[in-house]
Amino acid sequence: MHAPSILLAAAFAGVAIASPTPRATEYVGYLISTFSDAVPKVQFHLSEGNSATEFSFLNGGNPVLTSTVGSKAVRDIFLATNSARSEWYLLGTDLDVEATGFSWDVATRQGSRGIVVWKSTDLVNWSGSSLVTVEADTAGMAWAPSAVWDDETSQYYVFWSSREYAESDTAHTGSATLDKIRYATTKDFATFSAPQDYLAISNTPIIDQEFQYLGTPGNFARFYKNETTQQIVEDITTGGLFGTWTNIGYATTDIPREGPASFADNVTPGLYHLLADDYTEYVPYESTNIRAGGYTASSTNGFPSGLKHGSVTPLTQAEYDALAAAYPA
């Protein structure tokens, strides 16, 4: 794991994830941005008020966005915004698992090194899709992008999963590093800094990382998939995203699980929710002690079926109303 400067670590001390403002009491619902195996396009699900488990499939049960770039299929959807909530970016993995000749081996050796991006200022009107290269030539793929806005430097830190091959192995036919988490910075999702390692664990391949801000500057949880055990790992820190992290074990004992999506409850302080993909669809969990882990299963009454690796965003009244009007269920 590379160690950025102290300045970067300090800049992250108070950063919040995806939707840092306004206060939680001003949120009226949640948006799940996701895809399904059957339809690898961006899909929106809107909560029934502030219920964390009851959602309606927006746009009459149809996707809201379709990738027209790369493989023209998109997975692992993440919705990012700045602290002013004045710009929104939908990110996704460029990967079509139904393509002719597809194999996971090929996808990790010669997979897309770019991420699919859409931009909006209001969550309703979106740009066309673009495919932006974020990885080096030595990488085999760029999977499961997520982003963190940093107010102090007015830029996003973008994270994804990858593995790397030797510079001499230009065809990526040999052995690679284990899957790890990489990152870069950007102000506009068009131009990115050079990629660097963020988290690599000895003898353990990891993918699908997401952060959860814990309400106090520098305090975060992070979740990622251990590819060997096929479980979701949780770490916590009080020192910012580049500080010292403490592993507290697996979020659940259920196997297999991947694609974690964490979000704070809009109504109950200290309650956090976690969606975990069981390889067929999302399963909801919750915890009242996120620093200790140990999530328990949530009610699935009203929870939609078929949702895959995505993200959950709390919404203001204006945002909630705009989405409901533009994409009625």
Side-chain angles (χ1 to χ4, degrees):
M1 175 176 176
H2 289 289
S5 68
I6 293 175
L7 176 62
L8 279 184
F12 267 108
V15 75
I17 295 299
S19 305
T21 57
R23 295 188 306 275
T25 52
E26 297 179 51
Y27 293 129
V28 302
Y30 311 91
L31 175 69
I32 300 179
S33 304
T34 187
F35 76 102
S36 64
D37 279 330
V39 185
K41 303 175 182 182
V42 178
Q43 302 168 24
F44 283 168
H45 292 257
L46 187 65
S47 65
E48 301 297 329
N50 265 325
S51 171
T53 57
E54 297 177 88
F55 289 82
S56 296
F57 196 159
L58 293 186
N59 204 33
N62 296 303
V64 295
L65 293 168
T66 300
S67 174
T68 60
V69 294
S71 69
K72 299 184 179 179
V74 68
R75 305 171 67 86
D76 314 327
I77 310 301
F78 189 89
L79 178 60
T81 190
N82 57 12
S83 56
R85 303 171 79 86
S86 61
E87 61 183 22
W88 301 85
Y89 292 94
L90 275 165
L91 316 177
T93 302
D94 174 36
L95 180 64
D96 183 2
V97 301
E98 298 298 329
T100 301
F102 171 83
S103 75
W104 287 109
D105 182 65
V106 171
T108 56
R109 291 178 182 274
Q110 289 91 33
S112 176
R113 294 183 292 107
I115 60 175
V116 182
V117 179
W118 291 265
K119 182 179 180 178
S120 175
T121 58
D122 57 10
L123 287 173
V124 170
N125 299 289
W126 292 90
S127 70
S129 55
S130 60
L131 182 61
V132 187
T133 299
V134 295
E135 260 297 5
D137 292 342
T138 51
M141 78 287 194
W143 285 358
S146 64
V148 180
W149 169 258
D150 179 25
D151 257 333
E152 195 162 322
T153 58
S154 297
Q155 64 184 347
Y156 295 89
Y157 283 73
V158 184
F159 299 84
W160 63 87
S161 311
S162 192
R163 62 178 62 170
E164 292 183 283
Y165 294 82
E167 289 188 9
S168 59
D169 184 10
T170 56
H172 299 174
T173 56
S175 298
T177 64
L178 295 178
D179 296 335
K180 55 187 174 179
I181 307 302
R182 303 261 283 167
Y183 81 99
T185 61
T186 185
K187 290 181 178 292
D188 56 9
F189 285 89
T191 303
F192 289 78
S193 66
Q196 301 182 63
D197 284 1
Y198 174 69
L199 177 62
I201 301 177
S202 178
N203 301 318
T204 304
I206 58 172
I207 62 172
D208 295 355
Q209 178 188 257
E210 181 169 321
F211 297 102
Q212 174 65 63
Y213 180 57
L214 300 181
T216 303
N219 286 244
F220 293 88
R222 69 181 175 195
F223 303 88
Y224 49 90
K225 180 192 178 187
N226 178 323
E227 281 277 77
T228 301
T229 65
Q230 301 180 64
Q231 290 175 280
I232 294 171
V233 180
E234 181 182 355
D235 300 337
I236 59 171
T237 187
T238 59
L241 299 189
F242 290 90
T244 299
W245 289 82
T246 300
N247 174 250
I248 59 172
Y250 295 114
T252 84
T253 57
D254 297 335
I255 302 173
R257 293 293 184 268
E258 64 179 3
S262 176
F263 60 106
D265 194 86
N266 285 347
V267 177
T268 305
L271 176 61
Y272 290 87
H273 304 277
L274 181 70
L275 305 184
D277 190 334
D278 70 358
Y279 290 12
T280 62
E281 62 184 1
Y282 259 147
V283 178
Y285 297 87
E286 60 188 61
S287 175
T288 56
N289 189 1
I290 190 171
R291 295 177 188 275
Y295 280 74
T296 57
S298 302
S299 169
T300 55
N301 183 32
F303 193 77
S305 62
L307 277 63
K308 299 286 291 180
H309 187 174
S311 63
V312 184
T313 305
L315 299 172
T316 64
Q317 189 71 64
E319 293 160 356
Y320 188 100
D321 292 345
L323 284 162
Y327 304 112

